[in-house]
Every structure is written in structure tokens, then in C-alpha cells.
Amino acid sequence: MRVLFYTLKQSFIQFGRNLNMSIISIFAITCMMLILSLFFIMALNINVAAETVKGEYDSIELFLLDDTTKKEAKAMIDDMKQQDGVSDAYYKSKKQALAEFKERWGDNGYLLDSLKDNPLPNSVVIMIGDLEKADALAKHAESYEGVEDIKYYKSTVDKLLKATHFMQIAAMIIMVFLIIVSIIVVSNTIKLTVFNRADEISIMKYVGATNWFIRGPFLVEGIIIGVLSAAIALLITGVVYQKIVELIGDQVYSMLSMPMVETEYLLSTYGWIFGALGVAIGCLGSLVSLRRFLDV
Amino acid sequence: MIVFDNVTKRYKSNVALENVSIKINKGDFVFLVGPSGAGKSTFIKLILKEIQADKGTVTVRDINVTKLRPRGVPKLRRNIGIVFQDFRLLPKKTVYENVAFAMEIIHQPRKLIKKNVPQVLTMMGIADKADKYPDELSAGEQQRVAIARAIVNKPRILIADEPTGNLDPNTAWEIMQLLNEINQRGTTIVMVTHAKDIVDKMGKRVIAIENGHIVRDEFGMYGYQEALAAGNESMFGTRPVNKVHTVRRIFRRGGGRK
Ligand SMILES: Nc1ncnc2c1ncn2[C@@H]1O[C@H](COP(=O)(O)OP(=O)(O)O)[C@@H](O)[C@H]1O
Ligand SMILES: [Mg+2]
């Protein structure tokens, strides 16, 4: 208990004495974390987009030519229902389609009111039970007479998933880079404190203080730097992202028909990563400098 | 208490101590003498496990220091007090705080600190300086503080590396009286020094190291009577190699005393 108190007190004193350098390192690490944020934001949004599309992955929509009759459509539905892997198939009129569209556009829905004709086609929606069969079913459906186009999400999903994957790898690489640079930054900052306290520590070692007791305040000093950087980076990310969502969220929604990830969700998803990064960078940074300059 | 058994320490190719065997008994007061570069500090660092012997065994209070794991080092050092030539007090702490610091960092209870610190300050004759800062004290007073800090945890062994090197003869002699008193109370003392007059006056055991070897180990005087008689003004001057060997043959005790 007293040890904990001593460690905390000492670490804050050190942090304060070394304030300039601490602020510079916090600034540097925050900047790097913000770059990471950018990748996280993109990765998360694309990922959520992929998930959203994936929800529709299990359906194939056949857009019918205008002169295709309801009867022909019914025949398609019956035929599809016979196919292996189809769980359901139903008819969607152009009226229903427009209503859905309008709903999706939300506040911008009024724009559609000015339309004289409904530009959307009638369609047949096929629900797929067994995703393995999706490709074959799509091919089969394409062969029907009276089908103008077919909306099938697999390729889109694949593309999005690839993008997510790429983003994740990029984020990983940046994260490794960030960690290494940040550790160097922290260790150089701690190095100054170590030099400031070299005499004291040398005496502590002679008197028989344990290494962890000696390291404690430096570790906490490093953690303070790391966690403060993470907190600031997270705060900036949150505020800026919120602004972006407010500014272009609606456009994104109407253009891509999917919402941007909410700020709270973003922060709660990556908050702990930033926290862990901050702690890890702080600990490793100070341990590196302690090993190099103090041999404890 | 402290046993070196055939200990060798090299720094790269540079041999600092070679095949040194010696035994320092409980309650001994030992002077460690020799020219600079002889290996005295190396000897002390081996006791404290600041460095690791290349060969042989160092034993301190039945602890095999050579084999001691790093995590055992703090415990070893809690039994050894140490005093340096340059005092090494913390300038931003008062006398009291400097001494209390040694107890705080090994987590001694506050009550004990409040009891022991004034006690040792009184014993060192600096009780009235408790609230002063090191730069407000004379060199002799600073060294008293350093000694107080070294003994406040009641170590069994006190190591002093030229504790009187920065002091005038009178002050040095006062410090020696204090060390003597500490020794009388049962603490084993190993003191590195160049002060011939002090060694001669104290009449304690003298271990002379030269070129990494123990060249003499006996009670009494700083220099070699024989060497002096042979016309060498200083045992530490540059001498022909054959004379070094002569001296060694005379004083070296094979395998050391055990
Ligand atoms: N860290 C070191 N690296 C290399 N050589 C060293 C180191 N420390 C001491 N030595 C060498 O070891 C020998 C003994 O040194 P030391 O024990 O410090 O002697 P003393 O304390 O008697 O003056 C000297 O030759 C010195 O140059
Ligand atoms: Mg020396």
C-alpha cells in the first residue's frame, strides 16, 4: 500500500519535472495514434458495410422486364422454390420497391415524391437457405426469360471483405510501426528522468531496493504518457468523427444506402485497443530505457 | 563472513583480479590497500554482486554470491552498508530524509524509521543537523550522514571505499573513530584507503592488492617493512618486476587464509 503510494507519487513528480519532454512525447504519440484512428475508422466502416450487405447476401433479386407478366413471375417463383438451397421466393412489386427505397432515404425521401413514373422494376426476391448454392442459383435465375438484371451481393461482399482485410493489414503494419516509434519516444523521455534520478537510484540499489520497486515510478511515468496520448487521440477521434458523421453521414446513407458507424460504437470498439496500446507503449518504453541506462 | 575462493575477474582481456583467495572474519576491521588500478574496487563490487566473477566463488554470510540470482541481490545488499569517498548524499533531501530514505526504500515501518534515524544521527554526532541540507554541511559532517545512512538498517558488513579521501587529517581521524566504534559493536568493516598514516595508527588487518593479486595480508602497517628496507620508498611505485615477485613470494599465502 505504501509502496503503491510512493510509486504513484514519485511517478507524478517525475512526470511534472520532465513536463516539456513529456508533452512533446504525448504530442508525438497522439499524432501517431490519430493516423491509426484513420485506418480504424475506415476499416470499421467498411467492415460494417460488408456485414450489412452480408445480411442481404442470402437473397438474390431478379429485376423483371416491364413486359414480364405476373404469371411468368409466378412460374419463376415456383421453379426457384423447387431448387435445392432456396428457402423462399416471393414477388416484389415496383410500388413496394419504391416504398422501401423511400424509407431508406429517410429525410431525403421527399425527393422521390417529384417522380412522375416509378422508375423501379418489379422483381422476384429469392431467399437462399444454403449459401454454398448461391452461385449456382444465381446462374440458374439468369437463364429465365424476362429477367432484365439480377442483383446478387456476393461479389460486392467479396470486394468489401477484401478491402476490410487490406485495411486490417495496413492497420497492423501501422500499429507495429507506431508501437516501435512510440517506444523510442517514451524511452527517450524516460531516459531524462532516469538521468535526473541516477544518484538516487544508485543509492537505492546499494541499499537493497528491489528492481521492481525502482522500476515502478518509471513504469507509471511511461504509462501516464502512453495513456494520456491514447486518451487525447481517442477524444480527438471521437469529436472529429462525430463532426464528419453530422456533416456527411446523411449523404453517405443516401448514396450507399448504409449508415456510417456511430461514434459511440467506434470509440467503444477501439477505445480498449488505444488504452492497451498506451499502457504497452508506456511500459515497454520505460523498460527499454531502464535496461539501457540503468541496468535494472 | 566474506570468503573469496580462487576468484578471477577480467574486463575483456584486462585482468582485474586473478586467483584471489581470502577470508574476512566476522567482526574484522580490514584495510584494503594498493595502487589505483590494483583491483580494490573490483574486490568490493564482487562482494556486492555489482559484477560477476569469471572464476571462483565469492561467499558473503554463507550466501554464495557468485551463484546468487539477480532477485536475491537486494537481500544481499540489505546486509551490507556502503560509504563512498564522495558521500553521495541526495542534495534535495535533508540529513534526516537522506538517512530515512535508506529505510523507506526497503519498506521499513514508519515507526521504526522514526526511532532509528535519530538514534544513528546521535551516534554519528549530527543530531542537531537533521533538518539541514547536505550543502549546508562540512565534508566531515556529510560523511557522517553517509555513514549514518549506511548503518541505519543495521547491516552486518560495512564497506567504505576511501571514506576519508576527501577529508582533512583531523576530520578523517574523527571518521575513523566512528568506524571503529561501529566495528566494536560487531559490524565487519572493509575499508579501501590510501591513507598510510591512518592504517598505521589503527593497527588493523591490512590486505594489499597489486595487479589483481593479494600481495600481503597481515595485521599492522600500511607498507612493506621488507620492501622499504630494501630501499623502495613506496610499495606502489614502479618497481622492477623481479622485486614484485620477491615481495609476492614473501607475503603471499598460498590459497589465502581460511
Ligand atoms: N568497467 C571496467 N571495464 C574495463 N576495465 C576495468 C573496469 N573497471 C576496472 N577495470 C580495470 O580493472 C583493473 C582494476 O580496477 P579497479 O578494481 O577499479 O582498481 P582500484 O579500485 O584498485 O583502483 C584496472 O586495470 C581497471 O582499469
Ligand atoms: Mg577504485
Side-chain angles (χ1 to χ4, degrees):
Chain A
M1 192 59 212
R2 261 175 63 208
V3 173
L4 187 72
F5 182 72
Y6 164 88
T7 303
L8 289 176
K9 189 178 141 200
Q10 189 60 46
S11 62
F12 277 101
I13 291 173
Q14 287 172 196
F15 181 80
R17 285 219 187 109
N18 207 357
L19 198 59
N20 284 338
M21 198 57 194
S22 302
I23 288 173
I24 292 170
S25 20
I26 288 174
F27 180 76
I29 297 169
T30 302
C31 286
M32 276 178 286
M33 285 185 165
L34 285 175
I35 297 172
L36 194 63
S37 277
L38 200 66
F39 275 80
F40 280 162
I41 287 172
M42 289 196 276
L44 190 62
N45 272 293
I46 295 172
N47 200 28
V48 168
E51 289 295 329
T52 311
V53 177
K54 231 182 185 171
E56 296 171 48
Y57 192 176
D58 55 354
S59 70
I60 298 175
E61 200 168 357
L62 311 178
F63 296 110
L64 305 177
L65 290 168
D66 274 348
D67 54 5
T68 308
T69 62
K70 229 174 169 165
K71 205 168 152 200
E72 282 168 316
K74 179 84 171 60
M76 287 179 205
I77 290 169
D78 288 342
D79 180 52
M80 277 323 276
K81 279 186 175 166
Q82 302 285 307
Q83 301 296 321
D84 227 14
V86 173
S87 63
D88 194 17
Y90 60 87
Y91 184 76
K92 183 155 87 181
S93 72
K94 49 169 60 189
K95 233 171 140 182
Q96 280 169 306
L98 185 64
E100 274 180 26
F101 214 90
K102 240 174 154 170
E103 197 186 330
R104 231 190 241 172
W105 277 30
D107 290 346
N108 292 340
Y110 68 93
L111 292 171
L112 297 172
D113 292 342
S114 57
L115 292 172
K116 273 200 210 94
D117 299 318
N118 181 347
L120 299 172
N122 296 316
S123 60
V124 168
V125 179
I126 299 154
M127 306 302 293
I128 297 163
D130 181 1
L131 288 175
E132 299 268 298
K133 303 244 159 56
D135 278 331
L137 289 171
K139 248 205 189 100
H140 181 76
E142 262 176 340
S143 67
Y144 291 136
E145 290 276 328
V147 174
E148 185 183 18
D149 195 7
I150 160 166
K151 191 163 112 192
Y152 171 41
Y153 286 99
K154 188 173 189 296
S155 59
T156 319
V157 171
D158 285 349
K159 263 184 217 147
L160 286 174
L161 288 179
K162 238 182 222 156
T164 314
H165 193 62
F166 170 77
M167 284 294 171
Q168 278 165 350
I169 289 173
M172 278 298 160
I173 292 169
I174 288 183
M175 200 139 76
V176 170
F177 180 75
L178 164 108
I179 289 171
I180 292 169
V181 174
S182 301
I183 286 171
I184 293 170
V185 170
V186 171
S187 82
N188 273 304
T189 309
I190 301 289
K191 181 176 83 178
L192 287 185
T193 327
V194 170
F195 284 162
N196 274 332
R197 288 190 63 210
D199 291 342
E200 203 175 326
I201 286 157
S202 134
I203 290 162
M204 289 168 86
K205 283 168 79 177
Y206 279 123
V207 177
T210 58
N211 278 348
W212 280 112
F213 181 72
I214 295 173
R215 284 180 196 131
F218 295 101
L219 280 181
V220 177
E221 188 189 356
I223 291 171
I224 293 173
I225 292 173
V227 168
L228 274 182
S229 307
I232 295 171
L234 213 55
L235 189 76
I236 294 176
T237 303
V239 170
V240 171
Y241 185 72
Q242 181 65 37
K243 275 270 171 302
I244 292 174
V245 171
E246 277 166 20
L247 276 175
I248 66 162
D250 287 352
Q251 274 98 316
V252 169
Y253 187 59
S254 44
M255 276 189 309
L256 306 175
S257 74
M258 74 189 85
M260 282 178 78
V261 174
E262 279 176 30
T263 311
E264 290 84 37
Y265 181 68
L266 178 86
L267 296 186
S268 66
T269 308
Y270 290 122
W272 68 269
I273 294 186
F274 275 86
L277 267 180
V279 172
I281 286 168
C283 285
L284 289 173
S286 47
L287 285 180
V288 165
S289 60
L290 287 171
R291 273 203 77 79
R292 272 180 52 203
F293 304 108
L294 212 65
D295 193 26
V296 293
Chain B
M1 183 114 290
I2 302 170
V3 182
F4 275 56
D5 185 15
N6 216 19
V7 173
T8 296
K9 173 67 193 177
R10 290 185 197 86
Y11 295 104
K12 299 205 179 86
S13 59
N14 192 356
V15 178
L17 283 181
E18 192 170 31
N19 297 329
V20 167
S21 294
I22 194 126
K23 186 174 178 194
I24 294 171
N25 297 307
K26 192 162 181 242
D28 272 2
F29 194 130
V30 174
F31 287 114
L32 205 58
V33 302
S36 46
K40 305 182 297 295
S41 295
T42 303
F43 185 88
I44 282 174
K45 285 177 181 166
L46 285 168
I47 297 173
L48 292 164
K49 204 180 167 82
E50 263 185 78
I51 51 177
Q52 178 69 23
D54 299 313
K55 228 183 74 193
T57 317
V58 178
T59 313
V60 176
R61 299 190 73 223
D62 296 329
I63 301 170
N64 183 336
V65 174
T66 332
K67 287 222 182 88
L68 189 63
R69 301 245 192 107
R71 54 178 312 163
V73 172
K75 195 162 170 266
L76 167 77
R77 292 189 185 163
R78 285 174 198 195
N79 281 306
I80 306 173
I82 181 147
V83 178
F84 302 95
Q85 178 174 1
D86 54 357
F87 322 135
R88 302 205 191 169
L89 300 174
L90 299 173
K92 285 182 185 141
K93 288 189 192 292
T94 63
V95 166
Y96 182 94
E97 288 164 349
N98 263 285
V99 178
F101 182 66
M103 295 186 79
E104 281 163 5
I105 61 181
I106 59 170
H107 323 312
Q108 295 293 356
R110 207 160 286 175
K111 252 189 174 164
L112 195 66
I113 296 177
K114 284 205 175 114
K115 185 169 144 276
N116 286 9
V117 175
Q119 234 172 43
V120 286
L121 289 181
T122 305
M123 187 179 158
M124 292 297 112
I126 45 171
D128 55 330
K129 305 282 193 285
D131 295 328
K132 294 236 186 302
Y133 287 88
D135 61 6
E136 299 174 292
L137 304 180
S138 71
E141 287 163 343
Q142 289 186 49
Q143 193 59 297
R144 286 162 190 257
V145 179
I147 295 171
R149 182 180 62 193
I151 61 167
V152 73
N153 287 319
K154 307 199 189 311
R156 301 302 182 85
I157 300 168
L158 179 64
I159 288 174
D161 197 347
E162 296 197 43
T164 60
N166 284 356
L167 307 177
D168 63 71
N170 285 337
T171 315
W173 188 242
E174 284 169 23
I175 294 295
M176 290 316 297
Q177 296 309 308
L178 288 173
L179 291 179
N180 206 14
E181 199 181 319
I182 292 164
N183 177 239
Q184 303 283 297
R185 293 177 182 220
T187 307
T188 308
I189 296 187
V190 179
M191 173 169 158
V192 174
T193 189
H194 285 122
K196 182 182 183 315
D197 50 336
I198 284 178
V199 175
D200 291 347
K201 220 158 147 187
M202 294 284 287
K204 303 286 188 187
R205 181 176 170 192
V206 181
I207 298 173
I209 304 183
E210 214 172 319
N211 284 327
H213 295 272
I214 291 179
V215 294
R216 193 167 72 102
D217 177 6
E218 63 180 23
F219 282 81
M221 311 289 273
Y222 181 84
Y224 309 117
Q225 278 87 5
E226 285 85 348
L228 290 172
N232 278 296
E233 282 99 345
S234 161
M235 69 176 274
F236 301 138
T238 39
R239 282 169 295 151
V241 172
N242 63 336
K243 282 200 180 157
V244 173
H245 283 292
T246 314
V247 169
R248 277 194 195 139
R249 224 172 296 129
I250 295 169
F251 295 111
R252 217 160 132 204
R253 295 177 164 91
R257 307 192 313 186
K258 285 220 171 159

